[in-house]
């Protein structure tokens, strides 16, 4: 009995002693602590704010952000925003961050801004008021400016001279490892950008970070490419190989029964984007009635119950109902299969689709959806031909199709459209922007008008909800995308690791902690 008592209490005693020596759970990182993570979709978005500094960063609150390199801001007019900068901040190479650094960065940003919003056309200039105050001047009213500010990240002079701003359709990040950012972690190995990445990246604590208590783990290794089955085994069947990974919904029970991992779930503003190629895909896809028939044939309720294991929401459009303005906009809309059960209209759908054959490009991780979609579409005479590719290939084909430069023929393509615009539905509506590289539909002037109106208004206002309602109704009637349920966050986490996922595409490395008996630190 004494031996049993000692065996059960000794680990707790060791943990208590180690935490006592450390002083508190919020002190400097535990020596040698190391957490390994697999991010299968958009790793450049998830890790960006742990490495790079911006005036604002994503947060789990109503507005979707919190102050980061800024301490406050004021809206002087519809076109002028002023920010007070945090004092005493240094870049990861030890050089000072101040108004001059912001001015230098914005000079490079002006030359090659990112291209996924309207900021490249509405941004005018930045003005230095004093060493720790800057003003941003816009050319017109732009209600979504603060969402863009989250992605206007600042780099060292050395990095800017070497790489500048990328001017890509994806968000910026570091083109190579080095002490180039402002965040709590330095990218010490590999690189992670939207259109290029290494299979592994290593992050080390930034010794110059202004908040010494923020980082709680010394080293993170992020894997961007792993065999999903082996990765899952590494989490649930052992320790030391992998600590955190998003999991297929079908593996929930496996994680629950694991001696090493726990299941962590939560609400999400993420989406699964399935594009219909109306540019150079099957000619029949240009017919609105064909696109509607494809959507009407998919039983979203069965998809949610079986493919998603109940972890998600049925919805009538690409945008998650959790976004501001979307919940109100869709209150009078139902998913196509909720209006008419697919099994009751199969003959009608068969006559419209006429034995359609479609080429599908997908990552293996999305086959759990396609199995159900394939089942539903076969019942109305549609044949799907699948090609499994990686995420880089997916983006390469999506981003080149609008200009007719895609190197693979495809009709349907899927990617994980996780919420990178942070509590704003632009993350799920930008695919409709006329002539955008993200759009795979013919230019729709009416959509362009809706998008211009949306950009002028701030989220969580009646004006914003009004324009979102008009836009979503227009998209719904034209069936511009193939719609599936909105997923929840479902993650497997080592039992000795503390981590709660944000609803959006941000992995707050600074919030992750390990216990004293985690594999990386225990003796």
């Amino acid at each position: 009995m004494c031996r049993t008592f000692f065996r059960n209490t000794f680990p707790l005693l060791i943990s208590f002693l180690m935490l006592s020596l450390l002083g508190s759970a919020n002190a400097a990182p535990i020596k040698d602590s190391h957490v390994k993570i697999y991010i299968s979709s958009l790793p450049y978005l998830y890790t960006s704010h742990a490495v790079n500094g911006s005036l604002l960063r994503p947060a789990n609150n109503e507005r979707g952000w919190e102050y980061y390199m800024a301490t406050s801001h004021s809206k002087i007019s519809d076109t002028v925003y002023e920010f007070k900068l945090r004092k005493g901040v240094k870049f990861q190479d030890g050089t000072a961050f101040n108004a001059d650094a912001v001015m230098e960065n914005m000079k490079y940003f002006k030359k090659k801004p990112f291209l996924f919003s309207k900021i490249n056309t509405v941004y005018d200039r930045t003005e230095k008021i004093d060493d720790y105050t800057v003003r941003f001047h816009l050319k017109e009213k732009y209600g979504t400016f603060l969402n863009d500010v989250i992605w206007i990240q600042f780099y060292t002079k050395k990095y800017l001279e070497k790489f500048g701003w990328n001017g890509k359709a994806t968000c910026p990040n570091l083109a190579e490892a080095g002490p180039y950012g402002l965040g709590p972690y330095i990218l010490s190995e590999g690189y992670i950008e939207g259109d290029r990445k290494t299979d592994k990246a290593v992050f080390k604590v930034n010794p110059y970070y202004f908040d010494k208590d923020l980082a709680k783990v010394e080293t993170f290794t992020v894997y961007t490419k792993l065999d999903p089955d082996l990765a899952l085994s590494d989490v649930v069947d052992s320790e030391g190989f992998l600590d955190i990974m998003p999991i297929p919904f079908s593996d929930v029970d496996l994680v629950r029964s694991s001696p090493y991992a726990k299941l962590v779930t939560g609400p999400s503003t993420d989406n699964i984007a399935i594009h219909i190629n109306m540019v150079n895909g099957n000619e029949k896809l240009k017919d609105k009635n064909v696109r509607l028939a494809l959507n009407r044939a998919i039983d979203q309720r069965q998809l949610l119950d079986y493919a998603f294991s109940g972890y998600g929401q049925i919805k009538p459009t690409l945008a998650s109902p959790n976004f501001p303005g979307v919940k109100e906009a869709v209150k009078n809309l139902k998913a196509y299969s909720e209006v008419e059960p697919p099994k009751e209209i199969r003959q009608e759908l068969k006559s419209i689709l006429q034995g359609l054959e479609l080429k599908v490009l997908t990552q293996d991780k999305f086959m759990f959806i396609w199995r159900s979609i394939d089942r539903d579409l076969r019942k109305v005479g549609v044949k799907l031909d699948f090609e499994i590719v990686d995420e880089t290939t997916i983006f390469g084909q999506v981003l080149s199709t609008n200009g007719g430069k895609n190197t693979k023929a495809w009709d349907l393509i899927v990617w994980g459209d996780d919420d990178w615009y942070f509590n704003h539905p632009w993350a799920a509506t930008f695919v409709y922007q006329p002539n955008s590289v993200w759009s795979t539909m013919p230019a729709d002037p009416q959509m362009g008008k809706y998008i211009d109106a949306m950009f002028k208004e701030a989220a969580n206002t009646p004006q914003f909800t009004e324009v979102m309602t008009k836009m979503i109704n227009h998209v719904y009637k034209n069936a511009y995308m193939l719609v599936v349920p909105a997923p929840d966050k479902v993650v497997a986490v080592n039992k000795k690791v503390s981590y709660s996922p944000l609803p959006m595409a941000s992995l707050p490395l600074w919030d992750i902690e390990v216990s004293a008996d985690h594999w990386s630190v225990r003796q």
Side-chain angles (χ1 to χ4, degrees):
M1 183 174 179
C2 291
R3 186 176 297 169
T4 301
F5 175 79
F6 181 79
R7 184 170 63 244
N8 291 339
T9 58
F10 184 71
L12 296 175
L13 178 62
I14 293 297
S15 297
F16 174 77
L17 290 173
M18 289 187 73
L19 286 175
S20 298
L21 290 171
L22 287 166
S24 77
N26 293 324
I30 297 177
K31 188 176 184 304
D32 297 327
S33 54
H34 187 175
V35 171
K36 300 179 180 181
I37 306 172
Y38 173 42
I39 306 177
S40 57
S41 290
L42 307 175
Y44 74 107
L45 296 180
Y46 278 90
T47 59
S48 186
H49 286 89
V51 179
N52 301 318
S54 48
L55 297 176
L56 312 174
R57 73 177 174 194
N60 189 15
N61 55 36
E62 184 175 333
R63 62 192 182 189
W65 57 264
E66 63 189 8
Y67 290 110
Y68 195 16
M69 297 302 141
T71 57
S72 65
H73 86 284
S74 57
K75 182 179 176 182
I76 295 176
S77 71
D78 281 344
T79 59
V80 180
Y81 292 76
E82 182 174 285
F83 294 86
K84 295 292 184 181
L85 304 181
R86 193 179 296 277
K87 296 180 180 179
V89 173
K90 293 182 179 180
F91 282 98
Q92 292 166 349
D93 65 353
T95 57
F97 170 74
N98 49 32
D100 290 332
V102 172
M103 297 293 290
E104 181 79 1
N105 270 267
M106 295 313 296
K107 180 178 73 174
Y108 281 90
F109 179 84
K110 180 77 172 179
K111 294 177 183 176
K112 287 188 175 182
F114 51 68
L115 304 174
F116 56 74
S117 70
K118 202 179 175 182
I119 190 67
N120 57 305
T121 61
V122 302
Y123 172 67
D124 184 17
R125 60 189 174 89
T126 304
E127 175 187 5
K128 176 183 175 180
I129 304 302
D130 58 44
D131 285 346
Y132 294 98
T133 308
V134 292
R135 283 183 186 170
F136 286 76
H137 294 261
L138 308 177
K139 297 176 182 177
E140 61 185 60
K141 181 182 178 183
Y142 187 60
T144 51
F145 176 62
L146 294 181
N147 296 87
D148 278 320
V149 167
I150 296 172
W151 288 111
I152 298 177
Q153 298 173 332
F154 304 114
Y155 307 98
T156 63
K157 184 177 182 64
K158 182 178 179 180
Y159 183 85
L160 293 171
E161 289 174 347
K162 192 171 184 179
F163 298 103
W165 261 74
N166 63 25
K168 296 180 181 179
T170 52
C171 297
N173 213 312
L174 295 179
E176 70 176 18
Y180 298 131
L182 285 163
Y185 286 93
I186 297 172
L187 180 62
S188 64
E189 180 184 331
Y191 54 84
I192 305 180
E193 293 190 290
D195 58 348
R196 56 188 288 273
K197 57 183 180 288
T198 49
D199 293 350
K200 181 181 79 171
V202 178
F203 302 82
K204 297 282 188 178
V205 168
N206 170 18
Y208 291 108
Y209 194 65
F210 67 87
D211 185 350
K212 300 300 181 185
D213 292 339
L214 191 67
K216 304 171 182 66
V217 174
E218 270 194 357
T219 304
F220 286 95
T221 296
V222 171
Y223 299 95
T224 66
K225 186 177 181 180
L226 291 174
D227 179 290
D229 293 332
L230 291 178
L232 182 64
S233 177
D234 285 343
V235 174
V236 301
D237 295 331
S238 60
E239 285 187 303
F241 297 103
L242 203 60
D243 293 281
I244 300 172
M245 71 170 286
I247 63 166
F249 301 108
S250 58
D251 291 324
V252 164
D253 290 338
L254 184 62
V255 175
R256 283 195 176 119
S257 63
S258 167
Y260 302 103
K262 59 189 173 185
L263 181 70
V264 179
T265 65
S268 167
T269 44
D270 295 342
N271 307 276
I272 296 173
I274 303 180
H275 288 248
I276 301 173
N277 188 352
M278 292 164 266
V279 178
N280 55 20
N282 191 305
E283 280 294 314
K284 292 182 180 179
L285 295 175
K286 295 179 180 179
D287 185 341
K288 177 176 71 173
N289 292 321
V290 169
R291 300 192 302 271
L292 282 167
L294 290 171
N295 273 291
R296 293 166 68 198
I298 297 172
D299 192 328
Q300 275 207 51
R301 187 160 299 278
Q302 282 201 13
L303 196 57
L304 177 63
D305 291 343
Y306 296 103
F308 287 73
S309 299
Y311 288 97
Q313 299 180 66
I314 293 172
K315 56 185 175 65
T317 187
L318 172 59
S320 167
N322 293 331
F323 280 123
V326 175
K327 183 177 181 180
E328 297 82 0
V330 300
K331 65 182 179 181
N332 294 320
L333 289 181
K334 291 183 178 180
Y336 301 100
S337 59
E338 295 290 284
V339 177
E340 301 170 296
K343 64 181 180 181
E344 296 181 8
I345 54 172
R346 282 178 186 154
Q347 288 305 121
E348 177 192 347
L349 297 178
K350 280 183 179 180
S351 65
I352 297 172
L353 296 168
Q354 297 180 344
L356 197 62
E357 294 187 13
L358 301 175
K359 173 70 176 293
V360 179
L361 295 185
T362 179
Q363 289 174 265
D364 186 63
K365 63 175 284 186
F366 290 117
M367 283 307 297
F368 80 97
I369 304 173
W370 287 113
R371 291 185 190 99
S372 293
I373 293 175
D374 186 46
R375 175 204 62 211
D376 288 344
L377 293 183
R378 273 189 283 111
K379 292 175 181 177
V380 293
V382 175
K383 180 183 177 183
L384 300 181
D385 174 27
F386 296 99
E387 182 178 349
I388 309 296
V389 297
D390 60 20
E391 187 180 62
T392 300
T393 301
I394 292 289
F395 284 139
Q397 299 309 306
V398 168
L399 295 173
S400 58
T401 296
N402 187 272
K405 297 180 180 179
N406 48 306
T407 56
K408 287 182 176 288
W410 66 272
D411 300 304
L412 301 172
I413 201 168
V414 61
W415 57 284
D417 184 13
D418 295 358
D419 171 22
W420 47 265
Y421 215 51
F422 305 131
N423 219 22
H424 189 291
W426 178 238
T429 54
F430 78 121
V431 294
Y432 308 120
Q433 189 173 31
N435 301 316
S436 163
V437 293
W438 287 99
S439 173
T440 57
M441 63 185 218
D444 181 339
Q446 185 59 56
M447 279 302 300
K449 293 176 182 177
Y450 288 141
I451 287 172
D452 286 344
M454 181 205 69
F455 272 130
K456 292 182 184 298
E457 308 300 339
N460 294 305
T461 63
Q463 296 84 354
F464 184 83
T465 299
E466 181 181 355
V467 69
M468 283 305 303
T469 301
K470 292 177 181 178
M471 182 190 300
I472 287 174
N473 273 276
H474 184 72
V475 168
Y476 183 84
K477 292 174 183 176
N478 285 279
Y480 282 140
M481 302 283 281
L482 204 63
V483 182
V484 296
D488 290 342
K489 295 282 189 183
V490 181
V491 187
V493 181
N494 182 286
K495 288 183 177 180
K496 310 299 173 54
V497 174
S498 173
Y499 164 64
S500 296
L502 295 179
M504 64 279 283
S506 178
L507 182 65
L509 299 185
W510 54 89
D511 282 341
I512 296 176
E513 300 183 61
V514 300
S515 67
D517 56 345
H518 183 254
W519 63 265
S520 66
V521 296
R522 67 173 176 246
Q523 296 299 315

